[in-house]
Amino acid sequence: MALHLFFDLTAALRLAEHAVAAREHGPSFSEHDDGIACPGALVWVHDHGVYLMSSGLPRLDDPDRPGSSLVVYADGWNPDTDGHRRDADLGGDDFADHLHLSDAPTH
């Protein structure tokens, strides 16, 4: 059975707008290794929950967690309110995957 993740659209759009407007971005591991600049992305993360964040720098700060980036948790995947969940489709390891908002990587 496939895993389906749902994110609040308004909150995810705020992250996407930040990533698109930013002049600099935190690259993914492979972009860093290949010397390719990130063109702007939502970063899909699985570690302490499952969430999206902006790749834009300077980061979009979370007003409720000083010193942390604003994140948007997938529905049901916020460990602070939903408890710790696992799903075989996410695998056992943590990850961060860049979901680019542009087709054109920059060098």
Side-chain angles (χ1 to χ4, degrees), residues 31-84:
E31 289 166 339
H32 180 268
D33 289 346
D34 294 340
I36 299 171
C38 176
L42 290 177
V43 184
W44 174 34
V45 181
H46 172 234
D47 59 12
H48 189 62
V50 176
Y51 56 88
L52 298 172
M53 58 189 276
S54 170
S55 69
L57 298 174
R59 72 174 173 232
L60 184 58
D61 290 324
D62 186 337
D64 297 325
R65 298 179 312 137
S68 298
S69 294
L70 184 67
V71 301
V72 176
Y73 284 98
D75 289 344
W77 287 88
N78 181 339
D80 296 332
T81 57
D82 303 313
H84 184 72

Side-chain angles (χ1 to χ4, degrees), residues 2-52:
L3 172 67
H4 297 276
L5 298 172
F6 298 92
F7 297 89
D8 179 88
L9 179 59
T10 301
L13 283 173
R14 180 175 179 203
L15 298 178
E17 288 169 351
H18 176 264
V20 168
R23 292 179 176 231
E24 295 183 45
H25 299 89
S28 67
F29 291 117
S30 62
E31 289 166 339
H32 180 268
D33 289 346
D34 294 340
I36 299 171
C38 176
L42 290 177
V43 184
W44 174 34
V45 181
H46 172 234
D47 59 12
H48 189 62
V50 176
Y51 56 88
L52 298 172

Side-chain angles (χ1 to χ4, degrees), residues 46 87-88 90-94:
H46 172 234
D87 191 289
L90 288 175
D93 293 331
D94 296 343

